[in-house]
Structures are given as structure tokens and as C-alpha cells.
Amino acid sequence: WELPRGRIQGMAREVEIKARCADCDAVRRRLEALGASIVESGFERNVCFDAPDGRLREADSLLRLREYNGALLTFKGPRERPTHGVKSREEVEVAVDDFDAMVRILYALGFVKVWAYEKKREGWDLDGVKVCLDVLPTIGEYMEVEGTSEAEVMRVFEKLGVGAANITPRTYVEIFRNAIGATDWKLPDMVFENKEVR
């Protein structure tokens, strides 16, 4: 038995649109009117890891441990060139029983923490497509629409009335870095100052 090398055949793909959400209440009302159902809601903690030399970031890849209704370890490969604002990349995820134990394992394997961020997330299901309304410290409110194809994601996004001008191809760390005017990648964590929001 050998570990797979290079591109992993059959790896799932993340296909999504991220957009600035100036009025999430309006989007929420639109979701309700369209018959969407809320499937999850809560506080989310994320910790991003990399090799000490930053090779994952240099390769436009991500290793993230998330705590939200359980714990989830995620690897995301390089982003493909976005079309119509829709991002696509390879993604593999595995549920983890113990968040803190997984942190210790990652450190033992030589990874280092490079950034942590928090958000409040509300997840909806609309015709089998996931719509997330995110509230984040510093950078505000965003919406993500995630499905299995560009056409599916665009179809749902256009129903929600947010507008194509609000779409961004950037990740949350890139948006945060730009918002604080950082010139390198040594960033403070993006966390809520008021812990009561949790």
C-alpha cells in the first residue's frame, strides 16, 4: 500500500461564489420566500496551518482545522481561474473527534499555525445548494453559495439579489490582509473582541 502522490483521483471539488453582503437580512428574507430551510447556525473557530517555509500558501493551498458543530480538518488545493466569479478547487475533508488533539498532531508533524479567524455562520439549503451567511470581525458580512457546478451556483446566486458587483474571488485571509493594509503575511488573528458573540 502506498500513499497517493500528486493529484488525488476522485477528490471532491469546492465550487462556490463569495460576495460581500450589505444586507444579510434582505437575503435571509429572500431565502425564506424561496422556500429555503436553515440547516445550521453557530459560532465557528478556524485555525490555518502551513509548513514553516510557507509552502502551502506559496502553492495557493490551505490546511485548516475548523470547530463548528464538531471539528473538521480540510485541505484545499490551488484555485482554478474563476469564471463569472465562481471559484473551483480540489478539496478533501475529514471529521475529527478531538479538535485540541488534532492541533497537537499537526504540530507534531511539523506544521505551524499561521492564522486563526472566527465567524458566526448561518447555513441554508436552497434546492440542494448551500448558502451561508457569515458575520466576521473586521471585514463584516459575506455570503457564500456552494454547489456542484458553476451553473448551479450561479442559478442560486442570481435568485438572491446580491448583485455581481459584490462578488469577490478572494479568500477571507486575503480580504482581511487587504482591510488592515498588511504588507506581508504575518497577520494578527481575526477574532471577535466581544466574546459574548459566541
Side-chain angles (χ1 to χ4, degrees), residues 83-121:
T83 55
H84 305 103
V86 180
K87 296 185 299 182
S88 179
R89 66 199 306 185
E90 291 181 322
E91 178 183 71
V92 61
E93 296 185 314
V94 62
V96 177
D97 289 334
D98 190 320
F99 182 95
D100 293 330
M102 191 70 244
V103 170
R104 292 193 293 272
I105 289 171
L106 291 169
Y107 281 143
L109 291 172
F111 292 101
V112 295
K113 174 205 162 194
V114 290
W115 192 55
Y117 65 103
E118 298 174 342
K119 62 184 171 183
K120 291 166 61 180
R121 164 161 280 192

PDB file of all heavy atoms in Angstrom, residues 83-121:
ATOM      1  N   THR A  83     -14.418  31.856 -13.107  1.00  0.00           N
ATOM      2  CA  THR A  83     -15.235  32.287 -14.231  1.00  0.00           C
ATOM      3  C   THR A  83     -16.552  32.810 -13.686  1.00  0.00           C
ATOM      4  O   THR A  83     -17.193  32.149 -12.875  1.00  0.00           O
ATOM      5  CB  THR A  83     -15.497  31.124 -15.208  1.00  0.00           C
ATOM      6  OG1 THR A  83     -16.086  30.032 -14.496  1.00  0.00           O
ATOM      7  CG2 THR A  83     -14.201  30.653 -15.845  1.00  0.00           C
ATOM      8  N   HIS A  84     -16.921  34.009 -14.087  1.00  0.00           N
ATOM      9  CA  HIS A  84     -18.131  34.673 -13.594  1.00  0.00           C
ATOM     10  C   HIS A  84     -18.113  34.777 -12.067  1.00  0.00           C
ATOM     11  O   HIS A  84     -19.172  34.773 -11.431  1.00  0.00           O
ATOM     12  CB  HIS A  84     -19.392  33.943 -14.057  1.00  0.00           C
ATOM     13  CG  HIS A  84     -19.481  33.758 -15.529  1.00  0.00           C
ATOM     14  ND1 HIS A  84     -19.211  32.553 -16.149  1.00  0.00           N
ATOM     15  CD2 HIS A  84     -19.769  34.619 -16.529  1.00  0.00           C
ATOM     16  CE1 HIS A  84     -19.357  32.688 -17.451  1.00  0.00           C
ATOM     17  NE2 HIS A  84     -19.686  33.937 -17.714  1.00  0.00           N
ATOM     18  N   GLY A  85     -16.913  34.833 -11.491  1.00  0.00           N
ATOM     19  CA  GLY A  85     -16.804  34.946 -10.044  1.00  0.00           C
ATOM     20  C   GLY A  85     -16.891  33.636  -9.301  1.00  0.00           C
ATOM     21  O   GLY A  85     -16.777  33.605  -8.077  1.00  0.00           O
ATOM     22  N   VAL A  86     -17.106  32.526 -10.014  1.00  0.00           N
ATOM     23  CA  VAL A  86     -17.219  31.219  -9.367  1.00  0.00           C
ATOM     24  C   VAL A  86     -15.826  30.618  -9.212  1.00  0.00           C
ATOM     25  O   VAL A  86     -15.095  30.461 -10.183  1.00  0.00           O
ATOM     26  CB  VAL A  86     -18.113  30.261 -10.186  1.00  0.00           C
ATOM     27  CG1 VAL A  86     -18.212  28.911  -9.488  1.00  0.00           C
ATOM     28  CG2 VAL A  86     -19.498  30.861 -10.374  1.00  0.00           C
ATOM     29  N   LYS A  87     -15.464  30.275  -7.973  1.00  0.00           N
ATOM     30  CA  LYS A  87     -14.179  29.650  -7.686  1.00  0.00           C
ATOM     31  C   LYS A  87     -14.331  28.135  -7.645  1.00  0.00           C
ATOM     32  O   LYS A  87     -15.353  27.624  -7.198  1.00  0.00           O
ATOM     33  CB  LYS A  87     -13.625  30.128  -6.338  1.00  0.00           C
ATOM     34  CG  LYS A  87     -13.298  31.600  -6.265  1.00  0.00           C
ATOM     35  CD  LYS A  87     -12.643  31.939  -4.946  1.00  0.00           C
ATOM     36  CE  LYS A  87     -13.551  31.643  -3.768  1.00  0.00           C
ATOM     37  NZ  LYS A  87     -12.953  32.000  -2.467  1.00  0.00           N
ATOM     38  N   SER A  88     -13.288  27.447  -8.079  1.00  0.00           N
ATOM     39  CA  SER A  88     -13.291  25.988  -8.037  1.00  0.00           C
ATOM     40  C   SER A  88     -11.907  25.513  -7.637  1.00  0.00           C
ATOM     41  O   SER A  88     -10.894  26.025  -8.115  1.00  0.00           O
ATOM     42  CB  SER A  88     -13.678  25.422  -9.410  1.00  0.00           C
ATOM     43  OG  SER A  88     -13.654  24.006  -9.384  1.00  0.00           O
ATOM     44  N   ARG A  89     -11.870  24.531  -6.743  1.00  0.00           N
ATOM     45  CA  ARG A  89     -10.589  23.958  -6.321  1.00  0.00           C
ATOM     46  C   ARG A  89     -10.846  22.584  -5.727  1.00  0.00           C
ATOM     47  O   ARG A  89     -11.947  22.267  -5.272  1.00  0.00           O
ATOM     48  CB  ARG A  89      -9.890  24.872  -5.315  1.00  0.00           C
ATOM     49  CG  ARG A  89     -10.614  25.021  -3.995  1.00  0.00           C
ATOM     50  CD  ARG A  89     -10.189  26.236  -3.182  1.00  0.00           C
ATOM     51  NE  ARG A  89      -8.771  26.322  -2.943  1.00  0.00           N
ATOM     52  CZ  ARG A  89      -8.209  27.255  -2.175  1.00  0.00           C
ATOM     53  NH1 ARG A  89      -8.949  28.174  -1.577  1.00  0.00           N
ATOM     54  NH2 ARG A  89      -6.908  27.274  -1.992  1.00  0.00           N
ATOM     55  N   GLU A  90      -9.815  21.750  -5.722  1.00  0.00           N
ATOM     56  CA  GLU A  90      -9.926  20.439  -5.093  1.00  0.00           C
ATOM     57  C   GLU A  90      -9.995  20.616  -3.576  1.00  0.00           C
ATOM     58  O   GLU A  90      -9.363  21.506  -3.005  1.00  0.00           O
ATOM     59  CB  GLU A  90      -8.733  19.566  -5.465  1.00  0.00           C
ATOM     60  CG  GLU A  90      -8.725  19.158  -6.930  1.00  0.00           C
ATOM     61  CD  GLU A  90      -7.552  18.270  -7.270  1.00  0.00           C
ATOM     62  OE1 GLU A  90      -6.459  18.499  -6.737  1.00  0.00           O
ATOM     63  OE2 GLU A  90      -7.737  17.353  -8.079  1.00  0.00           O
ATOM     64  N   GLU A  91     -10.769  19.734  -2.950  1.00  0.00           N
ATOM     65  CA  GLU A  91     -10.965  19.829  -1.510  1.00  0.00           C
ATOM     66  C   GLU A  91     -11.160  18.432  -0.928  1.00  0.00           C
ATOM     67  O   GLU A  91     -11.881  17.609  -1.498  1.00  0.00           O
ATOM     68  CB  GLU A  91     -12.186  20.699  -1.211  1.00  0.00           C
ATOM     69  CG  GLU A  91     -12.527  20.834   0.258  1.00  0.00           C
ATOM     70  CD  GLU A  91     -13.792  21.657   0.476  1.00  0.00           C
ATOM     71  OE1 GLU A  91     -14.885  21.138   0.150  1.00  0.00           O
ATOM     72  OE2 GLU A  91     -13.687  22.790   0.949  1.00  0.00           O
ATOM     73  N   VAL A  92     -10.517  18.169   0.189  1.00  0.00           N
ATOM     74  CA  VAL A  92     -10.751  16.923   0.912  1.00  0.00           C
ATOM     75  C   VAL A  92     -10.927  17.259   2.386  1.00  0.00           C
ATOM     76  O   VAL A  92     -10.188  18.087   2.935  1.00  0.00           O
ATOM     77  CB  VAL A  92      -9.602  15.897   0.687  1.00  0.00           C
ATOM     78  CG1 VAL A  92      -8.279  16.435   1.177  1.00  0.00           C
ATOM     79  CG2 VAL A  92      -9.926  14.568   1.347  1.00  0.00           C
ATOM     80  N   GLU A  93     -11.940  16.654   3.004  1.00  0.00           N
ATOM     81  CA  GLU A  93     -12.258  16.954   4.390  1.00  0.00           C
ATOM     82  C   GLU A  93     -12.457  15.670   5.181  1.00  0.00           C
ATOM     83  O   GLU A  93     -12.887  14.646   4.629  1.00  0.00           O
ATOM     84  CB  GLU A  93     -13.547  17.786   4.479  1.00  0.00           C
ATOM     85  CG  GLU A  93     -13.440  19.149   3.838  1.00  0.00           C
ATOM     86  CD  GLU A  93     -14.685  19.995   4.032  1.00  0.00           C
ATOM     87  OE1 GLU A  93     -15.797  19.454   3.825  1.00  0.00           O
ATOM     88  OE2 GLU A  93     -14.557  21.170   4.381  1.00  0.00           O
ATOM     89  N   VAL A  94     -12.144  15.743   6.465  1.00  0.00           N
ATOM     90  CA  VAL A  94     -12.371  14.600   7.340  1.00  0.00           C
ATOM     91  C   VAL A  94     -12.826  15.116   8.703  1.00  0.00           C
ATOM     92  O   VAL A  94     -12.281  16.096   9.231  1.00  0.00           O
ATOM     93  CB  VAL A  94     -11.096  13.730   7.476  1.00  0.00           C
ATOM     94  CG1 VAL A  94      -9.947  14.505   8.105  1.00  0.00           C
ATOM     95  CG2 VAL A  94     -11.384  12.465   8.272  1.00  0.00           C
ATOM     96  N   ALA A  95     -13.856  14.476   9.257  1.00  0.00           N
ATOM     97  CA  ALA A  95     -14.328  14.838  10.590  1.00  0.00           C
ATOM     98  C   ALA A  95     -13.302  14.388  11.630  1.00  0.00           C
ATOM     99  O   ALA A  95     -12.662  13.343  11.490  1.00  0.00           O
ATOM    100  CB  ALA A  95     -15.674  14.180  10.861  1.00  0.00           C
ATOM    101  N   VAL A  96     -13.149  15.204  12.665  1.00  0.00           N
ATOM    102  CA  VAL A  96     -12.175  14.937  13.730  1.00  0.00           C
ATOM    103  C   VAL A  96     -12.916  14.914  15.066  1.00  0.00           C
ATOM    104  O   VAL A  96     -13.722  15.797  15.348  1.00  0.00           O
ATOM    105  CB  VAL A  96     -11.084  16.034  13.746  1.00  0.00           C
ATOM    106  CG1 VAL A  96     -10.123  15.811  14.897  1.00  0.00           C
ATOM    107  CG2 VAL A  96     -10.341  16.069  12.418  1.00  0.00           C
ATOM    108  N   ASP A  97     -12.634  13.908  15.878  1.00  0.00           N
ATOM    109  CA  ASP A  97     -13.333  13.786  17.163  1.00  0.00           C
ATOM    110  C   ASP A  97     -12.844  14.798  18.199  1.00  0.00           C
ATOM    111  O   ASP A  97     -13.619  15.238  19.041  1.00  0.00           O
ATOM    112  CB  ASP A  97     -13.152  12.375  17.737  1.00  0.00           C
ATOM    113  CG  ASP A  97     -13.925  11.328  16.948  1.00  0.00           C
ATOM    114  OD1 ASP A  97     -14.933  11.694  16.318  1.00  0.00           O
ATOM    115  OD2 ASP A  97     -13.518  10.159  16.962  1.00  0.00           O
ATOM    116  N   ASP A  98     -11.568  15.142  18.155  1.00  0.00           N
ATOM    117  CA  ASP A  98     -10.969  15.965  19.201  1.00  0.00           C
ATOM    118  C   ASP A  98     -10.163  17.097  18.562  1.00  0.00           C
ATOM    119  O   ASP A  98      -9.079  16.880  18.012  1.00  0.00           O
ATOM    120  CB  ASP A  98     -10.064  15.090  20.078  1.00  0.00           C
ATOM    121  CG  ASP A  98      -9.581  15.801  21.329  1.00  0.00           C
ATOM    122  OD1 ASP A  98      -9.241  17.000  21.250  1.00  0.00           O
ATOM    123  OD2 ASP A  98      -9.506  15.143  22.386  1.00  0.00           O
ATOM    124  N   PHE A  99     -10.693  18.319  18.603  1.00  0.00           N
ATOM    125  CA  PHE A  99     -10.049  19.487  17.990  1.00  0.00           C
ATOM    126  C   PHE A  99      -8.642  19.692  18.554  1.00  0.00           C
ATOM    127  O   PHE A  99      -7.662  19.840  17.811  1.00  0.00           O
ATOM    128  CB  PHE A  99     -10.909  20.729  18.236  1.00  0.00           C
ATOM    129  CG  PHE A  99     -10.390  21.999  17.606  1.00  0.00           C
ATOM    130  CD1 PHE A  99     -10.849  22.411  16.370  1.00  0.00           C
ATOM    131  CD2 PHE A  99      -9.458  22.786  18.271  1.00  0.00           C
ATOM    132  CE1 PHE A  99     -10.383  23.582  15.790  1.00  0.00           C
ATOM    133  CE2 PHE A  99      -8.984  23.958  17.709  1.00  0.00           C
ATOM    134  CZ  PHE A  99      -9.448  24.355  16.463  1.00  0.00           C
ATOM    135  N   ASP A 100      -8.515  19.728  19.887  1.00  0.00           N
ATOM    136  CA  ASP A 100      -7.225  20.021  20.515  1.00  0.00           C
ATOM    137  C   ASP A 100      -6.196  18.929  20.227  1.00  0.00           C
ATOM    138  O   ASP A 100      -5.013  19.216  20.031  1.00  0.00           O
ATOM    139  CB  ASP A 100      -7.397  20.201  22.029  1.00  0.00           C
ATOM    140  CG  ASP A 100      -8.209  21.448  22.358  1.00  0.00           C
ATOM    141  OD1 ASP A 100      -8.150  22.423  21.578  1.00  0.00           O
ATOM    142  OD2 ASP A 100      -8.924  21.435  23.379  1.00  0.00           O
ATOM    143  N   ALA A 101      -6.637  17.665  20.192  1.00  0.00           N
ATOM    144  CA  ALA A 101      -5.711  16.579  19.878  1.00  0.00           C
ATOM    145  C   ALA A 101      -5.217  16.712  18.439  1.00  0.00           C
ATOM    146  O   ALA A 101      -4.039  16.458  18.151  1.00  0.00           O
ATOM    147  CB  ALA A 101      -6.384  15.223  20.083  1.00  0.00           C
ATOM    148  N   MET A 102      -6.090  17.130  17.522  1.00  0.00           N
ATOM    149  CA  MET A 102      -5.682  17.309  16.128  1.00  0.00           C
ATOM    150  C   MET A 102      -4.668  18.432  15.998  1.00  0.00           C
ATOM    151  O   MET A 102      -3.728  18.346  15.201  1.00  0.00           O
ATOM    152  CB  MET A 102      -6.908  17.595  15.257  1.00  0.00           C
ATOM    153  CG  MET A 102      -6.628  17.537  13.762  1.00  0.00           C
ATOM    154  SD  MET A 102      -6.308  15.839  13.182  1.00  0.00           S
ATOM    155  CE  MET A 102      -4.619  15.975  12.626  1.00  0.00           C
ATOM    156  N   VAL A 103      -4.832  19.493  16.783  1.00  0.00           N
ATOM    157  CA  VAL A 103      -3.835  20.573  16.793  1.00  0.00           C
ATOM    158  C   VAL A 103      -2.477  20.019  17.201  1.00  0.00           C
ATOM    159  O   VAL A 103      -1.452  20.310  16.565  1.00  0.00           O
ATOM    160  CB  VAL A 103      -4.263  21.712  17.750  1.00  0.00           C
ATOM    161  CG1 VAL A 103      -3.111  22.704  17.954  1.00  0.00           C
ATOM    162  CG2 VAL A 103      -5.493  22.440  17.208  1.00  0.00           C
ATOM    163  N   ARG A 104      -2.459  19.202  18.239  1.00  0.00           N
ATOM    164  CA  ARG A 104      -1.184  18.635  18.705  1.00  0.00           C
ATOM    165  C   ARG A 104      -0.562  17.731  17.643  1.00  0.00           C
ATOM    166  O   ARG A 104       0.656  17.712  17.463  1.00  0.00           O
ATOM    167  CB  ARG A 104      -1.395  17.882  20.019  1.00  0.00           C
ATOM    168  CG  ARG A 104      -1.741  18.798  21.196  1.00  0.00           C
ATOM    169  CD  ARG A 104      -1.626  18.084  22.537  1.00  0.00           C
ATOM    170  NE  ARG A 104      -2.633  17.036  22.691  1.00  0.00           N
ATOM    171  CZ  ARG A 104      -3.859  17.242  23.187  1.00  0.00           C
ATOM    172  NH1 ARG A 104      -4.224  18.459  23.553  1.00  0.00           N
ATOM    173  NH2 ARG A 104      -4.700  16.238  23.325  1.00  0.00           N
ATOM    174  N   ILE A 105      -1.384  16.972  16.937  1.00  0.00           N
ATOM    175  CA  ILE A 105      -0.874  16.104  15.868  1.00  0.00           C
ATOM    176  C   ILE A 105      -0.244  16.943  14.758  1.00  0.00           C
ATOM    177  O   ILE A 105       0.854  16.640  14.266  1.00  0.00           O
ATOM    178  CB  ILE A 105      -2.005  15.222  15.307  1.00  0.00           C
ATOM    179  CG1 ILE A 105      -2.401  14.151  16.330  1.00  0.00           C
ATOM    180  CG2 ILE A 105      -1.580  14.563  13.992  1.00  0.00           C
ATOM    181  CD1 ILE A 105      -3.642  13.371  15.951  1.00  0.00           C
ATOM    182  N   LEU A 106      -0.918  18.013  14.354  1.00  0.00           N
ATOM    183  CA  LEU A 106      -0.391  18.864  13.280  1.00  0.00           C
ATOM    184  C   LEU A 106       0.932  19.496  13.691  1.00  0.00           C
ATOM    185  O   LEU A 106       1.880  19.567  12.891  1.00  0.00           O
ATOM    186  CB  LEU A 106      -1.420  19.929  12.905  1.00  0.00           C
ATOM    187  CG  LEU A 106      -2.676  19.385  12.204  1.00  0.00           C
ATOM    188  CD1 LEU A 106      -3.743  20.467  12.106  1.00  0.00           C
ATOM    189  CD2 LEU A 106      -2.340  18.847  10.815  1.00  0.00           C
ATOM    190  N   TYR A 107       1.015  19.945  14.937  1.00  0.00           N
ATOM    191  CA  TYR A 107       2.296  20.491  15.424  1.00  0.00           C
ATOM    192  C   TYR A 107       3.386  19.410  15.418  1.00  0.00           C
ATOM    193  O   TYR A 107       4.522  19.661  15.015  1.00  0.00           O
ATOM    194  CB  TYR A 107       2.141  21.049  16.839  1.00  0.00           C
ATOM    195  CG  TYR A 107       1.506  22.416  16.918  1.00  0.00           C
ATOM    196  CD1 TYR A 107       0.632  22.736  17.959  1.00  0.00           C
ATOM    197  CD2 TYR A 107       1.775  23.403  15.971  1.00  0.00           C
ATOM    198  CE1 TYR A 107       0.044  23.992  18.040  1.00  0.00           C
ATOM    199  CE2 TYR A 107       1.191  24.659  16.044  1.00  0.00           C
ATOM    200  CZ  TYR A 107       0.331  24.947  17.089  1.00  0.00           C
ATOM    201  OH  TYR A 107      -0.245  26.194  17.169  1.00  0.00           O
ATOM    202  N   ALA A 108       3.027  18.205  15.851  1.00  0.00           N
ATOM    203  CA  ALA A 108       3.995  17.110  15.893  1.00  0.00           C
ATOM    204  C   ALA A 108       4.492  16.748  14.497  1.00  0.00           C
ATOM    205  O   ALA A 108       5.633  16.292  14.326  1.00  0.00           O
ATOM    206  CB  ALA A 108       3.393  15.891  16.578  1.00  0.00           C
ATOM    207  N   LEU A 109       3.649  16.958  13.489  1.00  0.00           N
ATOM    208  CA  LEU A 109       4.033  16.671  12.104  1.00  0.00           C
ATOM    209  C   LEU A 109       4.865  17.794  11.482  1.00  0.00           C
ATOM    210  O   LEU A 109       5.301  17.674  10.339  1.00  0.00           O
ATOM    211  CB  LEU A 109       2.777  16.427  11.264  1.00  0.00           C
ATOM    212  CG  LEU A 109       2.008  15.135  11.572  1.00  0.00           C
ATOM    213  CD1 LEU A 109       0.684  15.112  10.812  1.00  0.00           C
ATOM    214  CD2 LEU A 109       2.845  13.911  11.217  1.00  0.00           C
ATOM    215  N   GLY A 110       5.073  18.860  12.232  1.00  0.00           N
ATOM    216  CA  GLY A 110       5.923  19.937  11.741  1.00  0.00           C
ATOM    217  C   GLY A 110       5.194  21.141  11.187  1.00  0.00           C
ATOM    218  O   GLY A 110       5.820  22.101  10.726  1.00  0.00           O
ATOM    219  N   PHE A 111       3.859  21.114  11.202  1.00  0.00           N
ATOM    220  CA  PHE A 111       3.111  22.276  10.747  1.00  0.00           C
ATOM    221  C   PHE A 111       3.092  23.353  11.830  1.00  0.00           C
ATOM    222  O   PHE A 111       3.256  23.059  13.017  1.00  0.00           O
ATOM    223  CB  PHE A 111       1.672  21.887  10.383  1.00  0.00           C
ATOM    224  CG  PHE A 111       1.579  21.012   9.166  1.00  0.00           C
ATOM    225  CD1 PHE A 111       1.394  19.640   9.289  1.00  0.00           C
ATOM    226  CD2 PHE A 111       1.685  21.560   7.896  1.00  0.00           C
ATOM    227  CE1 PHE A 111       1.305  18.825   8.168  1.00  0.00           C
ATOM    228  CE2 PHE A 111       1.609  20.754   6.775  1.00  0.00           C
ATOM    229  CZ  PHE A 111       1.424  19.391   6.905  1.00  0.00           C
ATOM    230  N   VAL A 112       2.883  24.584  11.410  1.00  0.00           N
ATOM    231  CA  VAL A 112       2.799  25.693  12.353  1.00  0.00           C
ATOM    232  C   VAL A 112       1.498  26.453  12.095  1.00  0.00           C
ATOM    233  O   VAL A 112       0.992  26.489  10.972  1.00  0.00           O
ATOM    234  CB  VAL A 112       3.997  26.655  12.229  1.00  0.00           C
ATOM    235  CG1 VAL A 112       5.292  25.959  12.625  1.00  0.00           C
ATOM    236  CG2 VAL A 112       4.102  27.225  10.807  1.00  0.00           C
ATOM    237  N   LYS A 113       0.964  27.048  13.149  1.00  0.00           N
ATOM    238  CA  LYS A 113      -0.216  27.889  12.994  1.00  0.00           C
ATOM    239  C   LYS A 113       0.203  29.191  12.317  1.00  0.00           C
ATOM    240  O   LYS A 113       1.158  29.837  12.738  1.00  0.00           O
ATOM    241  CB  LYS A 113      -0.831  28.188  14.352  1.00  0.00           C
ATOM    242  CG  LYS A 113      -1.986  29.182  14.289  1.00  0.00           C
ATOM    243  CD  LYS A 113      -2.177  29.904  15.603  1.00  0.00           C
ATOM    244  CE  LYS A 113      -2.992  31.158  15.369  1.00  0.00           C
ATOM    245  NZ  LYS A 113      -2.956  32.071  16.515  1.00  0.00           N
ATOM    246  N   VAL A 114      -0.531  29.582  11.282  1.00  0.00           N
ATOM    247  CA  VAL A 114      -0.208  30.832  10.595  1.00  0.00           C
ATOM    248  C   VAL A 114      -1.305  31.883  10.756  1.00  0.00           C
ATOM    249  O   VAL A 114      -1.030  33.084  10.611  1.00  0.00           O
ATOM    250  CB  VAL A 114       0.072  30.599   9.094  1.00  0.00           C
ATOM    251  CG1 VAL A 114       1.382  29.850   8.912  1.00  0.00           C
ATOM    252  CG2 VAL A 114      -1.068  29.854   8.405  1.00  0.00           C
ATOM    253  N   TRP A 115      -2.519  31.459  11.048  1.00  0.00           N
ATOM    254  CA  TRP A 115      -3.608  32.431  11.199  1.00  0.00           C
ATOM    255  C   TRP A 115      -4.812  31.740  11.784  1.00  0.00           C
ATOM    256  O   TRP A 115      -5.040  30.553  11.532  1.00  0.00           O
ATOM    257  CB  TRP A 115      -3.976  33.013   9.829  1.00  0.00           C
ATOM    258  CG  TRP A 115      -4.882  34.213   9.865  1.00  0.00           C
ATOM    259  CD1 TRP A 115      -4.676  35.378  10.554  1.00  0.00           C
ATOM    260  CD2 TRP A 115      -6.136  34.371   9.181  1.00  0.00           C
ATOM    261  NE1 TRP A 115      -5.714  36.251  10.327  1.00  0.00           N
ATOM    262  CE2 TRP A 115      -6.614  35.666   9.493  1.00  0.00           C
ATOM    263  CE3 TRP A 115      -6.876  33.555   8.332  1.00  0.00           C
ATOM    264  CZ2 TRP A 115      -7.815  36.161   8.990  1.00  0.00           C
ATOM    265  CZ3 TRP A 115      -8.078  34.035   7.820  1.00  0.00           C
ATOM    266  CH2 TRP A 115      -8.531  35.323   8.147  1.00  0.00           C
ATOM    267  N   ALA A 116      -5.573  32.479  12.585  1.00  0.00           N
ATOM    268  CA  ALA A 116      -6.839  31.978  13.116  1.00  0.00           C
ATOM    269  C   ALA A 116      -7.909  33.032  12.890  1.00  0.00           C
ATOM    270  O   ALA A 116      -7.624  34.236  12.916  1.00  0.00           O
ATOM    271  CB  ALA A 116      -6.711  31.647  14.598  1.00  0.00           C
ATOM    272  N   TYR A 117      -9.119  32.560  12.656  1.00  0.00           N
ATOM    273  CA  TYR A 117     -10.216  33.513  12.487  1.00  0.00           C
ATOM    274  C   TYR A 117     -11.518  32.913  12.990  1.00  0.00           C
ATOM    275  O   TYR A 117     -11.678  31.691  13.061  1.00  0.00           O
ATOM    276  CB  TYR A 117     -10.343  33.956  11.023  1.00  0.00           C
ATOM    277  CG  TYR A 117     -10.730  32.893  10.030  1.00  0.00           C
ATOM    278  CD1 TYR A 117     -12.032  32.810   9.524  1.00  0.00           C
ATOM    279  CD2 TYR A 117      -9.800  31.969   9.561  1.00  0.00           C
ATOM    280  CE1 TYR A 117     -12.390  31.844   8.597  1.00  0.00           C
ATOM    281  CE2 TYR A 117     -10.147  31.012   8.622  1.00  0.00           C
ATOM    282  CZ  TYR A 117     -11.444  30.953   8.141  1.00  0.00           C
ATOM    283  OH  TYR A 117     -11.792  29.987   7.226  1.00  0.00           O
ATOM    284  N   GLU A 118     -12.416  33.801  13.355  1.00  0.00           N
ATOM    285  CA  GLU A 118     -13.708  33.402  13.877  1.00  0.00           C
ATOM    286  C   GLU A 118     -14.812  33.978  12.994  1.00  0.00           C
ATOM    287  O   GLU A 118     -14.613  34.970  12.292  1.00  0.00           O
ATOM    288  CB  GLU A 118     -13.889  33.912  15.311  1.00  0.00           C
ATOM    289  CG  GLU A 118     -12.872  33.353  16.294  1.00  0.00           C
ATOM    290  CD  GLU A 118     -12.990  33.982  17.674  1.00  0.00           C
ATOM    291  OE1 GLU A 118     -13.596  35.065  17.806  1.00  0.00           O
ATOM    292  OE2 GLU A 118     -12.456  33.389  18.630  1.00  0.00           O
ATOM    293  N   LYS A 119     -15.967  33.352  13.061  1.00  0.00           N
ATOM    294  CA  LYS A 119     -17.139  33.922  12.409  1.00  0.00           C
ATOM    295  C   LYS A 119     -18.401  33.304  12.985  1.00  0.00           C
ATOM    296  O   LYS A 119     -18.362  32.234  13.609  1.00  0.00           O
ATOM    297  CB  LYS A 119     -17.084  33.718  10.900  1.00  0.00           C
ATOM    298  CG  LYS A 119     -17.074  32.280  10.420  1.00  0.00           C
ATOM    299  CD  LYS A 119     -16.914  32.250   8.903  1.00  0.00           C
ATOM    300  CE  LYS A 119     -16.683  30.852   8.395  1.00  0.00           C
ATOM    301  NZ  LYS A 119     -16.451  30.776   6.965  1.00  0.00           N
ATOM    302  N   LYS A 120     -19.496  34.006  12.780  1.00  0.00           N
ATOM    303  CA  LYS A 120     -20.815  33.456  13.071  1.00  0.00           C
ATOM    304  C   LYS A 120     -21.401  33.052  11.726  1.00  0.00           C
ATOM    305  O   LYS A 120     -21.428  33.849  10.787  1.00  0.00           O
ATOM    306  CB  LYS A 120     -21.684  34.500  13.761  1.00  0.00           C
ATOM    307  CG  LYS A 120     -21.231  34.827  15.173  1.00  0.00           C
ATOM    308  CD  LYS A 120     -21.886  36.082  15.697  1.00  0.00           C
ATOM    309  CE  LYS A 120     -23.398  35.952  15.759  1.00  0.00           C
ATOM    310  NZ  LYS A 120     -24.043  37.204  16.272  1.00  0.00           N
ATOM    311  N   ARG A 121     -21.849  31.822  11.624  1.00  0.00           N
ATOM    312  CA  ARG A 121     -22.312  31.295  10.337  1.00  0.00           C
ATOM    313  C   ARG A 121     -23.740  30.772  10.450  1.00  0.00           C
ATOM    314  O   ARG A 121     -24.117  30.138  11.432  1.00  0.00           O
ATOM    315  CB  ARG A 121     -21.386  30.189   9.842  1.00  0.00           C
ATOM    316  CG  ARG A 121     -21.960  29.334   8.732  1.00  0.00           C
ATOM    317  CD  ARG A 121     -20.896  28.583   7.963  1.00  0.00           C
ATOM    318  NE  ARG A 121     -20.255  29.467   6.982  1.00  0.00           N
ATOM    319  CZ  ARG A 121     -19.441  29.018   6.013  1.00  0.00           C
ATOM    320  NH1 ARG A 121     -19.169  27.731   5.923  1.00  0.00           N
ATOM    321  NH2 ARG A 121     -18.897  29.857   5.159  1.00  0.00           N
TER     322      ARG A 121
END
